[in-house]
Amino acid sequence: MNNVLCIGEILIDFICSDINSSIITGGNFKKKAGGAPANVASAICKLGGKASFVGKVGDDAFGVFLKNTLEHNMVDTSMIVLDKNAYTTLAFVSIKSDGERDFVFNRGADELLKYEELDINKIFSNKIIHFGSATALLGGEMKNTYIDIMKKAKAKGIFISFDPNFRDNLWGCRTKEFIELSLACIEIADFVKLSDEELRLITGKENLAEGIESIVKNKIVAVTLGKDGTMISNGKRTEIINSINVTSIDSTGAGDAFVGGVLYKISQLDNPHEICEDFNKLKRIIYFGNKVGAKVCTKLGAISSLPTISEVENKNEDKLELQVE
């Protein structure tokens, strides 16, 4: 049995290697495997955990490349569906001098995943299911499949992780719809990862602590703050957990790597739900996730830059010690 199942999009990132260039002016693009939930699954396996991925790609060269990439990273790909009638989803990414990104998406097969195409018993045999939604909630068959699995997993007592992965150029004038769908998923989830911008957008509150308080009931909320660490809450306590200092050249996949690091640690617990009550244990897990995310920022690409467990557990490089009671 795999400990963690990740569902959502998998795609090709064409990353512009001309630093601080726009997609218009950049001339050199490198093909990389990407997609938020695929990144999470790969991060877990790269650290030594077990994870599987559920999604759809085109039955084309890019789709085969993505499937092979996940298999190379020891991810179970038995529930990846190859569609002969659709192309693999593509994303073009340009990187600014501070490591932040701009996206252009060409959506394809990932939106066509149908519930009846999947091995449902295998899906619900997992300890944790992670839902990454950069494109999954946009519409199509994938949206229905995604929400159905989330609701049924909740009813079965499976630990649910959710990351909305908001992209303005994907949702455009549909921001209100994104907020409503995200709030519905947050209500179901046991662990929610948000950026500070996403928290403000979804809750309508500028103050991060107030935003967390409005959604944290009966769950863990983690708000990533880049180099400043992660604000976490279990509804009883709220605290910022430090990260480590790195020189960022590409933040693509850093949030996904953070989630992968956190879920890797939670999956090692006999009962993942217990983490909601042990704040000190939660702090250690979040700190570990911060380090995984920071490591990814030091290299180009999402999956290709994921660290191993030995690279993360190098205590000599920690600049800040985690304090627990």
PDB file of all heavy atoms in Angstrom, residues 183 186-187 189-192 194 199 203 205 208-223 231-239 276-277 279 282:
ATOM      1  N   LEU A 183     -12.855  27.317  -0.621  1.00  0.00           N
ATOM      2  CA  LEU A 183     -13.437  27.266   0.725  1.00  0.00           C
ATOM      3  C   LEU A 183     -14.153  25.941   0.963  1.00  0.00           C
ATOM      4  O   LEU A 183     -14.087  25.384   2.069  1.00  0.00           O
ATOM      5  CB  LEU A 183     -14.399  28.433   0.923  1.00  0.00           C
ATOM      6  CG  LEU A 183     -13.748  29.803   1.135  1.00  0.00           C
ATOM      7  CD1 LEU A 183     -14.798  30.906   1.111  1.00  0.00           C
ATOM      8  CD2 LEU A 183     -12.964  29.847   2.455  1.00  0.00           C
ATOM      9  N   ILE A 186     -11.359  23.432   1.529  1.00  0.00           N
ATOM     10  CA  ILE A 186     -10.732  23.690   2.833  1.00  0.00           C
ATOM     11  C   ILE A 186     -11.588  23.137   3.962  1.00  0.00           C
ATOM     12  O   ILE A 186     -11.077  22.578   4.936  1.00  0.00           O
ATOM     13  CB  ILE A 186     -10.491  25.205   3.013  1.00  0.00           C
ATOM     14  CG1 ILE A 186      -9.348  25.668   2.108  1.00  0.00           C
ATOM     15  CG2 ILE A 186     -10.186  25.547   4.476  1.00  0.00           C
ATOM     16  CD1 ILE A 186      -9.195  27.168   2.013  1.00  0.00           C
ATOM     17  N   GLU A 187     -12.893  23.266   3.821  1.00  0.00           N
ATOM     18  CA  GLU A 187     -13.813  22.757   4.839  1.00  0.00           C
ATOM     19  C   GLU A 187     -13.639  21.246   5.023  1.00  0.00           C
ATOM     20  O   GLU A 187     -13.722  20.721   6.136  1.00  0.00           O
ATOM     21  CB  GLU A 187     -15.254  23.075   4.434  1.00  0.00           C
ATOM     22  CG  GLU A 187     -16.308  22.593   5.396  1.00  0.00           C
ATOM     23  CD  GLU A 187     -16.308  23.316   6.729  1.00  0.00           C
ATOM     24  OE1 GLU A 187     -15.798  24.457   6.789  1.00  0.00           O
ATOM     25  OE2 GLU A 187     -16.814  22.737   7.714  1.00  0.00           O
ATOM     26  N   ALA A 189     -10.812  19.431   4.171  1.00  0.00           N
ATOM     27  CA  ALA A 189      -9.422  19.008   4.385  1.00  0.00           C
ATOM     28  C   ALA A 189      -9.016  18.958   5.853  1.00  0.00           C
ATOM     29  O   ALA A 189      -9.578  19.644   6.702  1.00  0.00           O
ATOM     30  CB  ALA A 189      -8.488  19.943   3.617  1.00  0.00           C
ATOM     31  N   ASP A 190      -7.978  18.139   6.120  1.00  0.00           N
ATOM     32  CA  ASP A 190      -7.351  18.056   7.444  1.00  0.00           C
ATOM     33  C   ASP A 190      -6.082  18.904   7.511  1.00  0.00           C
ATOM     34  O   ASP A 190      -5.706  19.379   8.573  1.00  0.00           O
ATOM     35  CB  ASP A 190      -7.000  16.600   7.765  1.00  0.00           C
ATOM     36  CG  ASP A 190      -8.213  15.709   7.763  1.00  0.00           C
ATOM     37  OD1 ASP A 190      -9.072  15.878   8.658  1.00  0.00           O
ATOM     38  OD2 ASP A 190      -8.328  14.849   6.867  1.00  0.00           O
ATOM     39  N   PHE A 191      -5.407  19.066   6.367  1.00  0.00           N
ATOM     40  CA  PHE A 191      -4.193  19.893   6.262  1.00  0.00           C
ATOM     41  C   PHE A 191      -4.342  20.778   5.045  1.00  0.00           C
ATOM     42  O   PHE A 191      -4.610  20.287   3.941  1.00  0.00           O
ATOM     43  CB  PHE A 191      -2.947  19.019   6.138  1.00  0.00           C
ATOM     44  CG  PHE A 191      -1.685  19.797   5.845  1.00  0.00           C
ATOM     45  CD1 PHE A 191      -1.061  20.534   6.835  1.00  0.00           C
ATOM     46  CD2 PHE A 191      -1.129  19.794   4.560  1.00  0.00           C
ATOM     47  CE1 PHE A 191       0.099  21.260   6.568  1.00  0.00           C
ATOM     48  CE2 PHE A 191       0.023  20.516   4.289  1.00  0.00           C
ATOM     49  CZ  PHE A 191       0.631  21.256   5.294  1.00  0.00           C
ATOM     50  N   VAL A 192      -4.183  22.082   5.236  1.00  0.00           N
ATOM     51  CA  VAL A 192      -4.318  23.037   4.137  1.00  0.00           C
ATOM     52  C   VAL A 192      -3.043  23.852   4.032  1.00  0.00           C
ATOM     53  O   VAL A 192      -2.579  24.427   5.017  1.00  0.00           O
ATOM     54  CB  VAL A 192      -5.510  23.992   4.360  1.00  0.00           C
ATOM     55  CG1 VAL A 192      -5.597  25.012   3.227  1.00  0.00           C
ATOM     56  CG2 VAL A 192      -6.804  23.204   4.485  1.00  0.00           C
ATOM     57  N   LEU A 194      -1.349  27.092   2.105  1.00  0.00           N
ATOM     58  CA  LEU A 194      -1.648  28.291   1.338  1.00  0.00           C
ATOM     59  C   LEU A 194      -0.429  29.197   1.308  1.00  0.00           C
ATOM     60  O   LEU A 194       0.378  29.186   2.239  1.00  0.00           O
ATOM     61  CB  LEU A 194      -2.797  29.084   1.979  1.00  0.00           C
ATOM     62  CG  LEU A 194      -4.136  28.380   2.184  1.00  0.00           C
ATOM     63  CD1 LEU A 194      -4.945  29.112   3.240  1.00  0.00           C
ATOM     64  CD2 LEU A 194      -4.904  28.336   0.880  1.00  0.00           C
ATOM     65  N   LEU A 199      -4.122  33.097   1.060  1.00  0.00           N
ATOM     66  CA  LEU A 199      -4.901  33.249   2.289  1.00  0.00           C
ATOM     67  C   LEU A 199      -5.689  34.559   2.269  1.00  0.00           C
ATOM     68  O   LEU A 199      -6.878  34.586   2.614  1.00  0.00           O
ATOM     69  CB  LEU A 199      -3.983  33.208   3.508  1.00  0.00           C
ATOM     70  CG  LEU A 199      -4.696  33.351   4.854  1.00  0.00           C
ATOM     71  CD1 LEU A 199      -5.552  32.122   5.143  1.00  0.00           C
ATOM     72  CD2 LEU A 199      -3.703  33.575   5.997  1.00  0.00           C
ATOM     73  N   THR A 203      -9.799  34.379   2.118  1.00  0.00           N
ATOM     74  CA  THR A 203     -10.504  34.791   3.337  1.00  0.00           C
ATOM     75  C   THR A 203     -10.957  36.243   3.303  1.00  0.00           C
ATOM     76  O   THR A 203     -11.817  36.644   4.095  1.00  0.00           O
ATOM     77  CB  THR A 203      -9.619  34.592   4.579  1.00  0.00           C
ATOM     78  OG1 THR A 203      -8.486  35.477   4.509  1.00  0.00           O
ATOM     79  CG2 THR A 203      -9.138  33.149   4.672  1.00  0.00           C
ATOM     80  N   LYS A 205      -9.129  38.684   4.254  1.00  0.00           N
ATOM     81  CA  LYS A 205      -8.526  39.340   5.422  1.00  0.00           C
ATOM     82  C   LYS A 205      -7.052  39.623   5.165  1.00  0.00           C
ATOM     83  O   LYS A 205      -6.308  38.732   4.763  1.00  0.00           O
ATOM     84  CB  LYS A 205      -8.694  38.473   6.669  1.00  0.00           C
ATOM     85  CG  LYS A 205     -10.161  38.243   7.048  1.00  0.00           C
ATOM     86  CD  LYS A 205     -10.294  37.403   8.308  1.00  0.00           C
ATOM     87  CE  LYS A 205     -11.766  37.139   8.627  1.00  0.00           C
ATOM     88  NZ  LYS A 205     -12.506  38.378   8.941  1.00  0.00           N
ATOM     89  N   LEU A 208      -2.785  38.020   8.484  1.00  0.00           N
ATOM     90  CA  LEU A 208      -2.655  36.575   8.277  1.00  0.00           C
ATOM     91  C   LEU A 208      -3.243  35.766   9.422  1.00  0.00           C
ATOM     92  O   LEU A 208      -3.904  34.745   9.197  1.00  0.00           O
ATOM     93  CB  LEU A 208      -1.189  36.208   8.061  1.00  0.00           C
ATOM     94  CG  LEU A 208      -0.510  36.805   6.824  1.00  0.00           C
ATOM     95  CD1 LEU A 208       0.917  36.295   6.702  1.00  0.00           C
ATOM     96  CD2 LEU A 208      -1.292  36.486   5.555  1.00  0.00           C
ATOM     97  N   ALA A 209      -3.004  36.195  10.645  1.00  0.00           N
ATOM     98  CA  ALA A 209      -3.522  35.456  11.801  1.00  0.00           C
ATOM     99  C   ALA A 209      -5.048  35.434  11.781  1.00  0.00           C
ATOM    100  O   ALA A 209      -5.672  34.403  12.077  1.00  0.00           O
ATOM    101  CB  ALA A 209      -3.007  36.075  13.092  1.00  0.00           C
ATOM    102  N   GLU A 210      -5.655  36.557  11.418  1.00  0.00           N
ATOM    103  CA  GLU A 210      -7.111  36.610  11.336  1.00  0.00           C
ATOM    104  C   GLU A 210      -7.620  35.737  10.197  1.00  0.00           C
ATOM    105  O   GLU A 210      -8.661  35.080  10.315  1.00  0.00           O
ATOM    106  CB  GLU A 210      -7.576  38.054  11.138  1.00  0.00           C
ATOM    107  CG  GLU A 210      -7.344  38.945  12.352  1.00  0.00           C
ATOM    108  CD  GLU A 210      -7.767  40.380  12.099  1.00  0.00           C
ATOM    109  OE1 GLU A 210      -8.261  40.666  10.976  1.00  0.00           O
ATOM    110  OE2 GLU A 210      -7.618  41.213  13.015  1.00  0.00           O
ATOM    111  N   GLY A 211      -6.889  35.728   9.089  1.00  0.00           N
ATOM    112  CA  GLY A 211      -7.273  34.879   7.973  1.00  0.00           C
ATOM    113  C   GLY A 211      -7.238  33.414   8.346  1.00  0.00           C
ATOM    114  O   GLY A 211      -8.169  32.655   8.031  1.00  0.00           O
ATOM    115  N   ILE A 212      -6.166  32.992   9.005  1.00  0.00           N
ATOM    116  CA  ILE A 212      -6.057  31.606   9.452  1.00  0.00           C
ATOM    117  C   ILE A 212      -7.192  31.261  10.411  1.00  0.00           C
ATOM    118  O   ILE A 212      -7.825  30.201  10.294  1.00  0.00           O
ATOM    119  CB  ILE A 212      -4.695  31.363  10.135  1.00  0.00           C
ATOM    120  CG1 ILE A 212      -3.574  31.347   9.092  1.00  0.00           C
ATOM    121  CG2 ILE A 212      -4.702  30.053  10.919  1.00  0.00           C
ATOM    122  CD1 ILE A 212      -2.192  31.198   9.671  1.00  0.00           C
ATOM    123  N   GLU A 213      -7.467  32.146  11.350  1.00  0.00           N
ATOM    124  CA  GLU A 213      -8.504  31.885  12.354  1.00  0.00           C
ATOM    125  C   GLU A 213      -9.864  31.631  11.708  1.00  0.00           C
ATOM    126  O   GLU A 213     -10.668  30.840  12.207  1.00  0.00           O
ATOM    127  CB  GLU A 213      -8.593  33.067  13.320  1.00  0.00           C
ATOM    128  CG  GLU A 213      -9.552  32.842  14.471  1.00  0.00           C
ATOM    129  CD  GLU A 213      -9.598  34.019  15.444  1.00  0.00           C
ATOM    130  OE1 GLU A 213      -8.830  34.984  15.244  1.00  0.00           O
ATOM    131  OE2 GLU A 213     -10.409  33.971  16.394  1.00  0.00           O
ATOM    132  N   SER A 214     -10.103  32.263  10.561  1.00  0.00           N
ATOM    133  CA  SER A 214     -11.411  32.138   9.917  1.00  0.00           C
ATOM    134  C   SER A 214     -11.624  30.789   9.223  1.00  0.00           C
ATOM    135  O   SER A 214     -12.762  30.443   8.887  1.00  0.00           O
ATOM    136  CB  SER A 214     -11.598  33.277   8.911  1.00  0.00           C
ATOM    137  OG  SER A 214     -10.753  33.114   7.784  1.00  0.00           O
ATOM    138  N   ILE A 215     -10.553  30.013   9.007  1.00  0.00           N
ATOM    139  CA  ILE A 215     -10.692  28.748   8.268  1.00  0.00           C
ATOM    140  C   ILE A 215     -10.126  27.535   8.995  1.00  0.00           C
ATOM    141  O   ILE A 215     -10.221  26.416   8.497  1.00  0.00           O
ATOM    142  CB  ILE A 215     -10.011  28.837   6.881  1.00  0.00           C
ATOM    143  CG1 ILE A 215      -8.523  29.142   7.015  1.00  0.00           C
ATOM    144  CG2 ILE A 215     -10.713  29.867   6.007  1.00  0.00           C
ATOM    145  CD1 ILE A 215      -7.758  29.056   5.693  1.00  0.00           C
ATOM    146  N   VAL A 216      -9.535  27.715  10.181  1.00  0.00           N
ATOM    147  CA  VAL A 216      -8.710  26.670  10.781  1.00  0.00           C
ATOM    148  C   VAL A 216      -9.486  25.627  11.579  1.00  0.00           C
ATOM    149  O   VAL A 216      -8.903  24.665  12.064  1.00  0.00           O
ATOM    150  CB  VAL A 216      -7.618  27.306  11.675  1.00  0.00           C
ATOM    151  CG1 VAL A 216      -8.226  27.793  12.989  1.00  0.00           C
ATOM    152  CG2 VAL A 216      -6.466  26.334  11.904  1.00  0.00           C
ATOM    153  N   LYS A 217     -10.758  25.723  11.688  1.00  0.00           N
ATOM    154  CA  LYS A 217     -11.529  24.806  12.521  1.00  0.00           C
ATOM    155  C   LYS A 217     -11.280  23.336  12.151  1.00  0.00           C
ATOM    156  O   LYS A 217     -11.429  22.932  11.005  1.00  0.00           O
ATOM    157  CB  LYS A 217     -13.019  25.119  12.401  1.00  0.00           C
ATOM    158  CG  LYS A 217     -13.902  24.246  13.286  1.00  0.00           C
ATOM    159  CD  LYS A 217     -15.368  24.615  13.113  1.00  0.00           C
ATOM    160  CE  LYS A 217     -16.257  23.712  13.964  1.00  0.00           C
ATOM    161  NZ  LYS A 217     -17.693  24.034  13.782  1.00  0.00           N
ATOM    162  N   ASN A 218     -10.868  22.559  13.164  1.00  0.00           N
ATOM    163  CA  ASN A 218     -10.685  21.109  13.025  1.00  0.00           C
ATOM    164  C   ASN A 218      -9.683  20.709  11.953  1.00  0.00           C
ATOM    165  O   ASN A 218      -9.841  19.684  11.287  1.00  0.00           O
ATOM    166  CB  ASN A 218     -12.024  20.418  12.746  1.00  0.00           C
ATOM    167  CG  ASN A 218     -13.022  20.610  13.854  1.00  0.00           C
ATOM    168  OD1 ASN A 218     -12.669  20.598  15.032  1.00  0.00           O
ATOM    169  ND2 ASN A 218     -14.280  20.802  13.495  1.00  0.00           N
ATOM    170  N   LYS A 219      -8.633  21.522  11.780  1.00  0.00           N
ATOM    171  CA  LYS A 219      -7.623  21.192  10.785  1.00  0.00           C
ATOM    172  C   LYS A 219      -6.330  21.927  11.092  1.00  0.00           C
ATOM    173  O   LYS A 219      -6.266  22.751  12.012  1.00  0.00           O
ATOM    174  CB  LYS A 219      -8.103  21.551   9.383  1.00  0.00           C
ATOM    175  CG  LYS A 219      -8.407  23.031   9.169  1.00  0.00           C
ATOM    176  CD  LYS A 219      -8.853  23.320   7.764  1.00  0.00           C
ATOM    177  CE  LYS A 219     -10.036  22.538   7.308  1.00  0.00           C
ATOM    178  NZ  LYS A 219     -11.262  22.751   8.074  1.00  0.00           N
ATOM    179  N   ILE A 220      -5.304  21.633  10.294  1.00  0.00           N
ATOM    180  CA  ILE A 220      -4.035  22.370  10.336  1.00  0.00           C
ATOM    181  C   ILE A 220      -3.988  23.276   9.121  1.00  0.00           C
ATOM    182  O   ILE A 220      -4.274  22.844   8.003  1.00  0.00           O
ATOM    183  CB  ILE A 220      -2.836  21.401  10.298  1.00  0.00           C
ATOM    184  CG1 ILE A 220      -2.828  20.497  11.534  1.00  0.00           C
ATOM    185  CG2 ILE A 220      -1.527  22.174  10.187  1.00  0.00           C
ATOM    186  CD1 ILE A 220      -1.933  19.292  11.371  1.00  0.00           C
ATOM    187  N   VAL A 221      -3.610  24.523   9.332  1.00  0.00           N
ATOM    188  CA  VAL A 221      -3.401  25.461   8.237  1.00  0.00           C
ATOM    189  C   VAL A 221      -1.949  25.898   8.256  1.00  0.00           C
ATOM    190  O   VAL A 221      -1.427  26.321   9.297  1.00  0.00           O
ATOM    191  CB  VAL A 221      -4.324  26.686   8.348  1.00  0.00           C
ATOM    192  CG1 VAL A 221      -4.004  27.699   7.238  1.00  0.00           C
ATOM    193  CG2 VAL A 221      -5.792  26.267   8.264  1.00  0.00           C
ATOM    194  N   ALA A 222      -1.277  25.795   7.112  1.00  0.00           N
ATOM    195  CA  ALA A 222       0.111  26.234   6.963  1.00  0.00           C
ATOM    196  C   ALA A 222       0.166  27.293   5.870  1.00  0.00           C
ATOM    197  O   ALA A 222      -0.276  27.053   4.741  1.00  0.00           O
ATOM    198  CB  ALA A 222       1.009  25.049   6.599  1.00  0.00           C
ATOM    199  N   VAL A 223       0.684  28.469   6.217  1.00  0.00           N
ATOM    200  CA  VAL A 223       0.794  29.580   5.271  1.00  0.00           C
ATOM    201  C   VAL A 223       2.273  29.831   5.012  1.00  0.00           C
ATOM    202  O   VAL A 223       3.003  30.274   5.900  1.00  0.00           O
ATOM    203  CB  VAL A 223       0.121  30.850   5.804  1.00  0.00           C
ATOM    204  CG1 VAL A 223       0.233  31.984   4.779  1.00  0.00           C
ATOM    205  CG2 VAL A 223      -1.338  30.582   6.138  1.00  0.00           C
ATOM    206  N   MET A 231       3.818  30.153   8.644  1.00  0.00           N
ATOM    207  CA  MET A 231       2.905  30.362   9.770  1.00  0.00           C
ATOM    208  C   MET A 231       1.971  29.166   9.844  1.00  0.00           C
ATOM    209  O   MET A 231       1.350  28.793   8.849  1.00  0.00           O
ATOM    210  CB  MET A 231       2.102  31.649   9.594  1.00  0.00           C
ATOM    211  CG  MET A 231       1.142  31.926  10.734  1.00  0.00           C
ATOM    212  SD  MET A 231       0.217  33.498  10.537  1.00  0.00           S
ATOM    213  CE  MET A 231       1.515  34.675  10.938  1.00  0.00           C
ATOM    214  N   ILE A 232       1.883  28.552  11.001  1.00  0.00           N
ATOM    215  CA  ILE A 232       1.030  27.380  11.158  1.00  0.00           C
ATOM    216  C   ILE A 232       0.053  27.579  12.309  1.00  0.00           C
ATOM    217  O   ILE A 232       0.311  28.335  13.251  1.00  0.00           O
ATOM    218  CB  ILE A 232       1.834  26.090  11.405  1.00  0.00           C
ATOM    219  CG1 ILE A 232       2.697  26.202  12.674  1.00  0.00           C
ATOM    220  CG2 ILE A 232       2.654  25.725  10.198  1.00  0.00           C
ATOM    221  CD1 ILE A 232       3.236  24.877  13.155  1.00  0.00           C
ATOM    222  N   SER A 233      -1.067  26.858  12.217  1.00  0.00           N
ATOM    223  CA  SER A 233      -2.049  26.870  13.298  1.00  0.00           C
ATOM    224  C   SER A 233      -2.800  25.554  13.305  1.00  0.00           C
ATOM    225  O   SER A 233      -3.067  24.977  12.249  1.00  0.00           O
ATOM    226  CB  SER A 233      -3.030  28.026  13.119  1.00  0.00           C
ATOM    227  OG  SER A 233      -3.996  28.025  14.157  1.00  0.00           O
ATOM    228  N   ASN A 234      -3.128  25.093  14.494  1.00  0.00           N
ATOM    229  CA  ASN A 234      -4.018  23.941  14.644  1.00  0.00           C
ATOM    230  C   ASN A 234      -5.345  24.367  15.268  1.00  0.00           C
ATOM    231  O   ASN A 234      -6.113  23.531  15.734  1.00  0.00           O
ATOM    232  CB  ASN A 234      -3.361  22.838  15.476  1.00  0.00           C
ATOM    233  CG  ASN A 234      -3.091  23.265  16.906  1.00  0.00           C
ATOM    234  OD1 ASN A 234      -3.258  24.441  17.268  1.00  0.00           O
ATOM    235  ND2 ASN A 234      -2.654  22.328  17.749  1.00  0.00           N
ATOM    236  N   GLY A 235      -5.604  25.672  15.271  1.00  0.00           N
ATOM    237  CA  GLY A 235      -6.827  26.203  15.848  1.00  0.00           C
ATOM    238  C   GLY A 235      -6.702  26.580  17.305  1.00  0.00           C
ATOM    239  O   GLY A 235      -7.521  27.330  17.836  1.00  0.00           O
ATOM    240  N   LYS A 236      -5.642  26.080  17.947  1.00  0.00           N
ATOM    241  CA  LYS A 236      -5.393  26.389  19.354  1.00  0.00           C
ATOM    242  C   LYS A 236      -4.160  27.271  19.512  1.00  0.00           C
ATOM    243  O   LYS A 236      -4.121  28.141  20.378  1.00  0.00           O
ATOM    244  CB  LYS A 236      -5.224  25.093  20.149  1.00  0.00           C
ATOM    245  CG  LYS A 236      -6.447  24.190  20.122  1.00  0.00           C
ATOM    246  CD  LYS A 236      -6.179  22.863  20.808  1.00  0.00           C
ATOM    247  CE  LYS A 236      -7.384  21.940  20.713  1.00  0.00           C
ATOM    248  NZ  LYS A 236      -7.119  20.608  21.327  1.00  0.00           N
ATOM    249  N   ARG A 237      -3.165  27.012  18.681  1.00  0.00           N
ATOM    250  CA  ARG A 237      -1.933  27.801  18.704  1.00  0.00           C
ATOM    251  C   ARG A 237      -1.555  28.191  17.277  1.00  0.00           C
ATOM    252  O   ARG A 237      -1.763  27.423  16.340  1.00  0.00           O
ATOM    253  CB  ARG A 237      -0.782  26.997  19.336  1.00  0.00           C
ATOM    254  CG  ARG A 237      -0.968  26.709  20.817  1.00  0.00           C
ATOM    255  CD  ARG A 237       0.128  25.808  21.337  1.00  0.00           C
ATOM    256  NE  ARG A 237       1.466  26.399  21.189  1.00  0.00           N
ATOM    257  CZ  ARG A 237       2.594  25.764  21.533  1.00  0.00           C
ATOM    258  NH1 ARG A 237       2.528  24.523  22.015  1.00  0.00           N
ATOM    259  NH2 ARG A 237       3.760  26.352  21.387  1.00  0.00           N
ATOM    260  N   THR A 238      -0.982  29.377  17.145  1.00  0.00           N
ATOM    261  CA  THR A 238      -0.501  29.869  15.855  1.00  0.00           C
ATOM    262  C   THR A 238       0.920  30.383  16.033  1.00  0.00           C
ATOM    263  O   THR A 238       1.206  31.115  16.985  1.00  0.00           O
ATOM    264  CB  THR A 238      -1.394  31.011  15.323  1.00  0.00           C
ATOM    265  OG1 THR A 238      -2.737  30.523  15.176  1.00  0.00           O
ATOM    266  CG2 THR A 238      -0.887  31.521  13.981  1.00  0.00           C
ATOM    267  N   GLU A 239       1.805  29.984  15.117  1.00  0.00           N
ATOM    268  CA  GLU A 239       3.221  30.327  15.277  1.00  0.00           C
ATOM    269  C   GLU A 239       3.908  30.342  13.914  1.00  0.00           C
ATOM    270  O   GLU A 239       3.476  29.643  12.989  1.00  0.00           O
ATOM    271  CB  GLU A 239       3.879  29.299  16.196  1.00  0.00           C
ATOM    272  CG  GLU A 239       5.229  29.706  16.745  1.00  0.00           C
ATOM    273  CD  GLU A 239       5.692  28.766  17.859  1.00  0.00           C
ATOM    274  OE1 GLU A 239       4.873  28.431  18.739  1.00  0.00           O
ATOM    275  OE2 GLU A 239       6.869  28.365  17.830  1.00  0.00           O
ATOM    276  N   CYS A 276      -2.816  16.860  14.570  1.00  0.00           N
ATOM    277  CA  CYS A 276      -3.608  18.055  14.867  1.00  0.00           C
ATOM    278  C   CYS A 276      -3.567  18.420  16.353  1.00  0.00           C
ATOM    279  O   CYS A 276      -3.786  19.581  16.707  1.00  0.00           O
ATOM    280  CB  CYS A 276      -5.057  17.836  14.443  1.00  0.00           C
ATOM    281  SG  CYS A 276      -5.272  17.572  12.664  1.00  0.00           S
ATOM    282  N   GLU A 277      -3.248  17.462  17.204  1.00  0.00           N
ATOM    283  CA  GLU A 277      -3.265  17.699  18.643  1.00  0.00           C
ATOM    284  C   GLU A 277      -1.879  17.863  19.262  1.00  0.00           C
ATOM    285  O   GLU A 277      -1.758  18.261  20.414  1.00  0.00           O
ATOM    286  CB  GLU A 277      -3.992  16.540  19.345  1.00  0.00           C
ATOM    287  CG  GLU A 277      -5.422  16.335  18.880  1.00  0.00           C
ATOM    288  CD  GLU A 277      -6.289  17.558  19.110  1.00  0.00           C
ATOM    289  OE1 GLU A 277      -6.087  18.258  20.125  1.00  0.00           O
ATOM    290  OE2 GLU A 277      -7.156  17.836  18.258  1.00  0.00           O
ATOM    291  N   PHE A 279       1.233  19.958  18.948  1.00  0.00           N
ATOM    292  CA  PHE A 279       1.768  21.130  18.267  1.00  0.00           C
ATOM    293  C   PHE A 279       3.284  21.087  18.155  1.00  0.00           C
ATOM    294  O   PHE A 279       3.849  21.543  17.162  1.00  0.00           O
ATOM    295  CB  PHE A 279       1.333  22.406  19.001  1.00  0.00           C
ATOM    296  CG  PHE A 279       1.471  23.649  18.161  1.00  0.00           C
ATOM    297  CD1 PHE A 279       0.568  23.917  17.150  1.00  0.00           C
ATOM    298  CD2 PHE A 279       2.503  24.548  18.378  1.00  0.00           C
ATOM    299  CE1 PHE A 279       0.678  25.055  16.362  1.00  0.00           C
ATOM    300  CE2 PHE A 279       2.627  25.681  17.599  1.00  0.00           C
ATOM    301  CZ  PHE A 279       1.711  25.940  16.586  1.00  0.00           C
ATOM    302  N   LEU A 282       4.108  18.882  15.349  1.00  0.00           N
ATOM    303  CA  LEU A 282       3.752  19.602  14.133  1.00  0.00           C
ATOM    304  C   LEU A 282       4.833  20.613  13.758  1.00  0.00           C
ATOM    305  O   LEU A 282       5.199  20.741  12.587  1.00  0.00           O
ATOM    306  CB  LEU A 282       2.407  20.309  14.322  1.00  0.00           C
ATOM    307  CG  LEU A 282       1.945  21.211  13.172  1.00  0.00           C
ATOM    308  CD1 LEU A 282       1.756  20.404  11.886  1.00  0.00           C
ATOM    309  CD2 LEU A 282       0.645  21.923  13.552  1.00  0.00           C
TER     310      LEU A 282
END
